[in-house]
């Protein structure tokens, strides 16, 4: 039996902002555009406190302002949300490598082979994310992606919903057709014209009628989806282009020993990463950021890809030696690029 888990972060952009600025906690916060409600732009998301006023994603900022003038309006800081997203996804990949990255705040995990109840596994994930980021998420578990995704949306925020084969009808038939992944506003409107509003009503429509109206493939898709049937696999394939680590010193330093220790440590981590994911690297880079933020990198391409700690460390230090350390250093980094799968001939 397949067991698929879908995770979706709660009010993601707003939650990240509330996490890094505690004075925003419990307040209506609206993220969108440049953060000025007098300017043009739409709401990216709103905290749950702001949603009580009717504010939601894609609404013009001006409308949001009219609904709740006391809300705190902030610009979109995509870089920060991506950084947090990456931390979350890395945590998920430690639970299982079978992760499909769907968007900035969601992912599917195939947990069929993982021991423990759905509650246990969800608890582990929620704790991990809370520890790493301080954020809450909602989780859905079902026999396939379609049902897992519907489930994660059912008890937001901080929810957990498990749908099993036997409660498909009871749980999904009452929902509007729009809740099916792959049914957008156009199909929704069209189905409405056919007097089909709920998933249950869709499931009662004969296959021939759906195929006649929507064509073979989409007709069949609607027919299957309305019954909770979905065999689509997780798309987990993800080829890393590089593997890197860097560290910022507590205080800018001109102590060579300290930099060397940092680089050696980072090299070890990078090589561990490479080995764990089954890659060898052909290109090695050392990076230094100076106290004035000027950043210098030196790289070397090897004759053959390697995952040997000794060879990579030697190369890192060779590259580092080519950097002119004329100023105190704030950060050092190591990168392994031009990755090749172990065993792959090039
Ligand atoms: P969602 O997961 O759809 O929304 P959310 O995480 O803010 O809230 P929920 O608790 O209901 O899941 O989207 C994730 C992020 O994507 C969201 O925080 C902001 C961004 N986004 C937009 O920028 N524009 C949009 O129209 C939507 C829907 C989301
Ligand atoms: Mg979300």
């Amino acid at each position: 039996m397949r067991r698929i888990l879908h995770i979706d972060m709660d009010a993601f952009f707003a939650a990240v902002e509330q996490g890094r600025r505690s004075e925003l906690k419990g307040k209506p916060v609206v993220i969108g555009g440049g953060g000025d409600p007098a300017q043009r732009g739409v709401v990216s998301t709103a905290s749950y406190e702001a949603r009580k006023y009717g504010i939601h994603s894609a609404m013009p900022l001006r409308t949001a302002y009219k609904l709740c003038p006391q809300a705190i309006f902030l610009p979109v800081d995509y870089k920060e949300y991506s950084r947090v997203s990456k931390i979350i996804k890395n945590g998920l990949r430690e639970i299982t490598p079978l992760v499909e990255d769907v968007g900035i705040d969601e992912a599917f995990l195939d947990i069929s082979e993982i021991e423990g109840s759905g509650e246990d596994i969800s608890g582990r994930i929620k704790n991990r994310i809370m520890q790493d980021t301080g954020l809450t998420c909602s989780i859905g578990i079902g026999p396939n992606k379609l049902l897992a995704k519907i489930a994660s949306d059912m008890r937001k925020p901080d929810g957990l919903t498990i749908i099993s084969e036997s409660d498909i009808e009871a749980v999904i038939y009452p929902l509007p057709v729009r809740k099916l992944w792959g049914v957008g506003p156009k199909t929704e409107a069209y189905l409405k014209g056919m007097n089909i509003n709920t998933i249950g009503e869709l499931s009662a429509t004969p296959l021939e009628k759906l195929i006649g109206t929507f064509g073979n493939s989409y007709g069949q898709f609607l027919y299957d989806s309305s019954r909770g049937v979905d065999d689509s696999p997780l798309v987990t394939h993800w080829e890393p282009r590089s593997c890197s680590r860097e560290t910022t010193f507590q205080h800018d330093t001109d102590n060579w020993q300290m930099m060397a220790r940092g680089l050696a440590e980072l090299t070890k981590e990078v090589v561990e990463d490479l080995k764990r994911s089954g890659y060898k690297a052909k290109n090695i880079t050392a990076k230094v950021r100076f106290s004035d933020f000027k950043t210098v990198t030196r790289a070397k391409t090897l004759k053959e890809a390697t995952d040997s700690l000794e060879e990579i460390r030697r190369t890192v230090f060779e590259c580092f030696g080519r950097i002119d350390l004329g100023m105190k250093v704030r950060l050092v980094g190591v990168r392994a690029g031009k990755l090749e799968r172990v065993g792959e001939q090039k």
Side-chain angles (χ1 to χ4, degrees):
M1 247 291 268
R2 279 177 100 205
R3 193 159 59 146
I4 307 298
L5 181 149
H6 181 257
I7 166 172
D8 188 293
M9 300 302 297
D10 301 321
F12 186 51
F13 293 3
V16 172
E17 297 293 354
Q18 287 178 317
R20 65 173 165 177
R21 290 173 55 184
S22 59
E23 73 272 19
L24 299 179
K25 286 214 170 93
K27 300 241 171 77
V29 176
V30 178
I31 316 292
D36 179 356
Q39 302 276 315
R40 282 170 66 170
V42 293
V43 175
S44 288
T45 196
S47 67
Y48 278 80
E49 294 83 359
R51 292 182 196 193
K52 287 188 199 136
Y53 296 85
I55 298 174
H56 57 76
S57 297
M59 168 183 278
L61 285 172
R62 282 171 214 249
T63 313
Y65 183 78
K66 275 182 207 141
L67 288 170
C68 182
Q70 74 274 27
I72 297 132
F73 289 81
L74 295 172
V76 176
D77 183 355
Y78 203 79
K79 215 172 139 199
E80 174 65 6
Y81 315 143
S82 304
R83 188 185 70 81
V84 176
S85 173
K86 215 175 263 172
I87 294 173
I88 294 166
K89 304 287 166 69
N90 286 344
L92 295 177
R93 287 203 179 86
E94 278 180 25
I95 304 264
T96 169
L98 300 178
V99 176
E100 175 176 344
D101 201 333
V102 195
I104 191 160
D105 87 328
E106 48 176 319
F108 288 104
L109 276 68
D110 188 329
I111 55 165
S112 312
E113 304 293 326
I114 298 184
E115 283 195 31
S117 66
E119 285 86 355
D120 290 342
I121 298 170
S122 298
R124 274 168 59 198
I125 294 176
K126 280 169 181 268
N127 286 339
R128 175 71 199 250
I129 293 178
M130 178 54 72
Q131 261 173 21
D132 288 353
T133 68
L135 302 178
T136 64
C137 62
S138 295
I139 289 179
I141 297 178
N144 56 44
K145 284 163 75 174
L146 173 80
L147 293 169
K149 171 119 178 146
I150 290 176
S152 72
D153 197 40
M154 294 186 81
R155 295 194 177 87
K156 266 186 163 288
D158 201 12
L160 167 63
T161 307
I162 301 177
I163 301 182
S164 67
E165 208 79 68
S166 57
D167 38 51
I168 290 179
E169 294 187 13
V171 177
I172 77 163
Y173 278 14
L175 301 175
V177 287
R178 188 62 198 278
K179 291 279 175 185
L180 293 175
W181 214 22
V183 173
K186 273 192 197 152
T187 308
E188 182 188 31
Y190 206 92
L191 288 169
K192 199 177 168 134
M194 295 166 72
N195 217 5
I196 299 172
N197 297 294
T198 65
I199 296 175
E201 284 162 4
L202 182 60
S203 75
T205 314
L207 177 61
E208 299 73 45
K209 190 168 175 191
L210 292 175
I211 286 184
T213 315
F214 297 100
N216 264 325
S217 100
Y218 195 54
Q220 182 74 51
F221 167 83
L222 290 175
Y223 182 83
D224 289 341
S225 300
S226 69
R227 286 166 176 67
V229 172
D230 167 31
D231 296 326
S232 62
L234 264 68
V235 183
T236 57
H237 194 68
W238 157 85
E239 289 281 337
R241 275 177 310 185
S242 69
C243 181
S244 63
R245 283 280 204 290
E246 50 186 50
T247 186
T248 304
F249 296 114
Q250 290 294 328
H251 303 284
D252 296 354
T253 181
D254 52 9
N255 181 330
W256 192 87
Q257 292 287 351
M258 196 157 151
M259 292 182 239
R261 251 201 319 273
L263 282 169
E265 189 56 38
L266 296 171
T267 305
K268 218 172 98 204
E269 289 175 19
V270 165
V271 170
E272 273 164 16
D273 252 20
L274 281 178
K275 290 200 163 136
R276 187 164 353 123
S277 44
Y279 285 91
K280 293 184 175 192
K282 210 169 172 180
N283 186 270
I284 306 296
T285 308
K287 168 171 162 180
V288 167
R289 179 166 297 144
F290 293 102
S291 50
D292 65 353
F293 277 83
K294 198 171 154 243
T295 306
V296 178
T297 60
R298 292 286 180 268
K300 180 175 178 179
T301 300
L302 305 166
K303 282 206 182 71
E304 272 178 40
T306 181
D307 61 358
S308 143
L309 175 59
E310 218 185 272
E311 189 178 357
I312 294 179
R313 195 198 291 126
R314 198 175 340 114
T315 313
V316 166
F317 276 86
E318 192 186 316
C319 295
F320 179 57
R322 284 160 42 210
I323 298 176
D324 183 13
L325 299 172
M327 195 188 290
K328 282 200 174 180
V329 168
R330 168 182 171 84
L331 164 156
V332 292
V334 171
R335 190 170 80 125
K338 293 204 177 143
L339 302 188
E340 293 174 11
R341 255 193 193 289
V342 171
E344 194 177 40
Q345 294 295 320
K346 274 236 166 141

